[in-house]
Amino acid sequence: MPWPSRKRDKGAVADKKEPDAKIAKTEEETEDKEEEEKSTKPPAGSSKSGWKNWKKAKESDSGGEESKITYCHWLLKSEPESRLEKGVDVKFSIEDLKAQPNQTTFWEGVRNYQARNFLRAMKLGQQAFFYHSNCKEPGIVGIVKIVKEAYPDHTQFDQKDPHYDSSSRKENPKWSMVDVQFVRMTKRFIPLSEIKTHHLAHKADGGPLKNMMLFSRQRLSIQPLTQEEFDFVLSLEEEKPH
């Protein structure tokens, strides 16, 4: 396997306070506080202009029609810093992905049912944000695409793997994985704190990030995104950091 399993999914914790990434591809079976960010409520109007300008551009492109509320993109969390889990270093950064043959790897080790179901819903060619989690400054660093749809995760049968599951049977595997390939780095790092500022503003003014799962189910290491959510977050790479 290209790297030690870096997705951990049971009882993960919010970013930086506790692990939760592809490797952590970490997951939570219990819900705790929102991802810890010391960002306060955004200053009045701080996100509204960006949201309105983005919406105006989108309406210009689409004739003013609203996008369908369907999940067609994803956010995948992975830990860029070393952390031992059952004696195995679960570190896996986007640089590690770029170093893999054909810049492709399998996304294994997910042990949360909701996250697993999201994996099973992924379609060939769909894109996802690669998100660095459980680190000094969590956030989005790049884009990957799905190059193989869900198939059985072999680590569930490997007794030496941190994510071995003795209750899973080869004739009826519990856990799945997909293959992902590096597409590109984002033009700049998009920190969680910046995304959260927009999320809080959008909750008030009805912007595209108002229901973003990154803040409602923050511990899930696999998260779906609507087209609007993906497009808005991607548009942030064109803006100067606040």
Side-chain angles (χ1 to χ4, degrees):
M1 91 195 242
W3 67 72
S5 176
R6 48 235 163 244
K7 305 118 216 167
R8 167 194 61 112
D9 302 308
K10 291 185 180 173
V13 288
D15 250 321
K16 196 33 191 170
K17 285 240 166 178
E18 295 159 52
D20 89 351
K22 170 188 174 182
I23 324 256
K25 274 161 196 194
T26 280
E27 256 62 85
E28 77 316 12
E29 310 258 312
T30 59
E31 295 258 2
D32 269 335
K33 288 185 191 178
E34 183 177 62
E35 270 192 278
E36 295 286 6
E37 270 300 329
K38 290 182 182 170
S39 59
T40 53
K41 217 170 182 178
S46 66
S47 176
K48 288 187 178 180
S49 59
W51 151 231
K52 288 178 179 176
N53 290 338
W54 175 85
K55 185 177 182 184
K56 187 175 180 181
K58 291 297 289 181
E59 288 178 347
S60 173
D61 291 341
S62 63
E65 291 182 9
E66 293 291 332
S67 300
K68 274 191 175 181
I69 306 301
T70 55
Y71 292 129
C72 48
H73 295 282
W74 308 92
L75 183 146
L76 308 179
K77 294 183 179 182
S78 190
E79 294 184 23
E81 298 174 359
S82 289
R83 181 179 65 79
L84 294 180
E85 185 174 322
K86 296 183 179 178
V88 176
D89 190 350
V90 294
K91 169 188 175 293
F92 192 79
S93 69
I94 197 164
E95 295 300 327
D96 292 315
L97 173 60
K98 289 167 67 178
Q100 299 301 313
N102 202 29
Q103 297 185 316
T104 301
T105 191
F106 45 80
W107 205 265
E108 90 293 355
V110 172
R111 297 295 182 267
N112 170 278
Y113 287 106
Q114 185 175 20
R116 179 206 65 184
N117 291 343
F118 288 147
L119 282 175
R120 291 179 176 180
M122 293 177 178
K123 301 300 180 187
L124 199 64
Q126 288 183 336
Q127 292 191 336
F129 287 127
F130 195 109
Y131 178 100
H132 279 171
S133 182
N134 192 34
C135 53
K136 185 175 181 181
E137 188 171 23
I140 292 167
V141 293
I143 298 172
V144 300
K145 67 180 178 180
I146 309 306
V147 293
K148 184 175 181 179
E149 294 181 8
Y151 61 104
D153 177 352
H154 63 271
T155 66
Q156 65 194 301
F157 307 120
D158 182 356
Q159 296 185 32
K160 296 180 180 179
D161 192 274
H163 303 107
Y164 171 66
D165 184 348
S166 61
S167 67
S168 187
R169 298 289 176 263
K170 289 189 176 181
E171 59 274 15
N172 186 26
K174 280 187 180 181
W175 308 109
S176 302
M177 61 185 181
V178 298
D179 287 359
V180 303
Q181 184 178 46
F182 174 80
V183 174
R184 69 174 177 87
M185 301 295 290
T186 46
K187 294 179 182 178
R188 68 175 179 89
F189 173 66
I190 305 173
L192 172 65
S193 55
E194 182 179 344
I195 301 170
K196 184 172 182 178
T197 295
H198 290 291
H199 164 68
L200 292 174
H202 291 185
K203 284 178 72 175
D205 65 24
L209 303 191
K210 62 184 182 294
N211 296 319
M212 192 175 185
M213 198 173 289
L214 185 60
F215 305 101
S216 61
R217 294 300 305 277
Q218 65 275 6
R219 295 168 132 207
L220 280 176
S221 64
I222 309 289
Q223 300 184 359
L225 297 170
T226 65
Q227 186 70 53
E228 278 196 334
E229 289 170 341
F230 183 85
D231 289 346
F232 184 85
V233 173
L234 189 60
S235 75
L236 297 178
E237 70 175 355
E238 303 291 349
E239 298 182 7
K240 290 183 179 179
H242 297 300

